[in-house]
Coordinates of all heavy atoms in Angstrom, one line a residue:
K187 N -6.9 -34.4 -11.6 CA -7.5 -35.7 -11.5 C -6.8 -36.5 -10.4 O -5.8 -36.1 -9.8 CB -7.4 -36.4 -12.8 CG -7.9 -35.6 -14.0 CD -9.4 -35.3 -13.9 CE -9.9 -34.5 -15.1 NZ -10.8 -33.4 -14.8
E188 N -7.3 -37.7 -10.1 CA -6.8 -38.5 -9.0 C -5.3 -38.8 -9.2 O -4.6 -39.0 -8.2 CB -7.6 -39.8 -8.8 CG -9.0 -39.5 -8.2 CD -9.7 -40.8 -7.9 OE1 -9.2 -41.9 -8.2 OE2 -10.8 -40.8 -7.3
S189 N -4.9 -38.9 -10.4 CA -3.5 -39.3 -10.6 C -2.6 -38.2 -11.1 O -1.5 -38.4 -11.6 CB -3.4 -40.4 -11.7 OG -4.0 -40.0 -12.9
S190 N -3.1 -36.9 -11.0 CA -2.3 -35.8 -11.4 C -1.1 -35.5 -10.6 O -1.0 -35.8 -9.4 CB -3.2 -34.5 -11.3 OG -4.2 -34.6 -12.3
I191 N -0.1 -35.0 -11.3 CA 1.1 -34.5 -10.6 C 1.0 -33.0 -10.6 O 0.9 -32.4 -11.7 CB 2.4 -34.9 -11.4 CG1 2.4 -36.4 -11.6 CG2 3.7 -34.4 -10.7 CD1 2.5 -37.3 -10.3
V192 N 1.0 -32.4 -9.4 CA 0.7 -30.9 -9.3 C 1.9 -30.2 -8.6 O 2.6 -30.8 -7.9 CB -0.6 -30.7 -8.7 CG1 -1.8 -31.3 -9.5 CG2 -0.7 -31.1 -7.2
L193 N 1.9 -28.9 -8.8 CA 3.0 -28.1 -8.3 C 2.4 -26.9 -7.7 O 1.7 -26.1 -8.3 CB 3.9 -27.8 -9.5 CG 5.1 -26.8 -9.3 CD1 6.0 -27.3 -8.2 CD2 5.8 -26.6 -10.6
D194 N 2.7 -26.6 -6.4 CA 2.3 -25.4 -5.7 C 3.6 -24.6 -5.5 O 4.5 -25.0 -4.7 CB 1.6 -25.6 -4.4 CG 1.1 -24.4 -3.8 OD1 1.5 -23.3 -4.2 OD2 0.3 -24.5 -2.9
C195 N 3.8 -23.6 -6.3 CA 5.1 -22.9 -6.3 C 5.3 -21.9 -5.2 O 6.3 -21.3 -5.0 CB 5.3 -22.2 -7.7 SG 5.8 -23.4 -8.9
T196 N 4.2 -21.6 -4.5 CA 4.2 -20.6 -3.4 C 3.3 -21.2 -2.3 O 2.1 -20.7 -2.2 CB 3.8 -19.2 -3.8 OG1 2.5 -19.4 -4.5 CG2 4.8 -18.6 -4.8
V197 N 3.7 -22.2 -1.5 CA 2.8 -22.9 -0.6 C 2.2 -22.0 0.4 O 1.1 -22.2 0.9 CB 3.4 -24.1 0.0 CG1 3.8 -25.1 -1.0 CG2 4.6 -23.8 0.9
G198 N 2.9 -20.9 0.8 CA 2.3 -20.0 1.8 C 1.8 -20.7 3.1 O 2.5 -21.4 3.7
N199 N 0.5 -20.5 3.4 CA -0.1 -21.1 4.6 C -0.7 -22.5 4.3 O -1.3 -23.1 5.1 CB -1.1 -20.2 5.2 CG -0.5 -19.0 5.8 OD1 0.5 -19.1 6.6 ND2 -1.0 -17.8 5.5
G200 N -0.5 -23.0 3.0 CA -0.9 -24.3 2.7 C -2.4 -24.4 2.2 O -2.9 -25.5 1.9
N201 N -3.1 -23.3 2.0 CA -4.4 -23.4 1.5 C -4.6 -24.0 0.2 O -5.4 -24.9 0.0 CB -5.0 -22.0 1.5 CG -5.1 -21.3 2.9 OD1 -5.4 -22.0 3.8 ND2 -4.8 -20.0 2.9
D202 N -3.8 -23.6 -0.8 CA -3.9 -24.1 -2.2 C -3.5 -25.6 -2.2 O -4.1 -26.4 -2.8 CB -3.1 -23.3 -3.2 CG -3.7 -21.9 -3.4 OD1 -4.9 -21.7 -3.3 OD2 -2.9 -21.0 -3.8
T203 N -2.4 -25.8 -1.4 CA -1.8 -27.2 -1.4 C -2.9 -28.2 -0.8 O -3.1 -29.3 -1.4 CB -0.6 -27.2 -0.5 OG1 0.2 -26.1 -0.8 CG2 0.2 -28.5 -0.8
E204 N -3.5 -27.8 0.3 CA -4.5 -28.7 0.9 C -5.7 -28.8 -0.1 O -6.2 -29.9 -0.3 CB -5.1 -28.1 2.2 CG -6.1 -28.9 2.8 CD -6.6 -28.3 4.1 OE1 -6.2 -27.3 4.6 OE2 -7.5 -29.0 4.8
F205 N -6.1 -27.8 -0.8 CA -7.3 -27.9 -1.7 C -6.9 -28.8 -2.9 O -7.7 -29.7 -3.3 CB -7.7 -26.5 -2.2 CG -9.0 -26.6 -3.0 CD1 -10.2 -26.7 -2.4 CD2 -8.9 -26.6 -4.4 CE1 -11.4 -26.7 -3.1 CE2 -10.1 -26.6 -5.1 CZ -11.3 -26.7 -4.5

Side-chain angles (χ1 to χ4, degrees):
K187 309 298 180 219
E188 287 187 356
S189 61
S190 292
I191 306 300
V192 301
L193 175 58
D194 186 344
C195 285
T196 51
V197 297
N199 290 313
N201 296 323
D202 292 335
T203 317
E204 181 179 1
F205 190 78

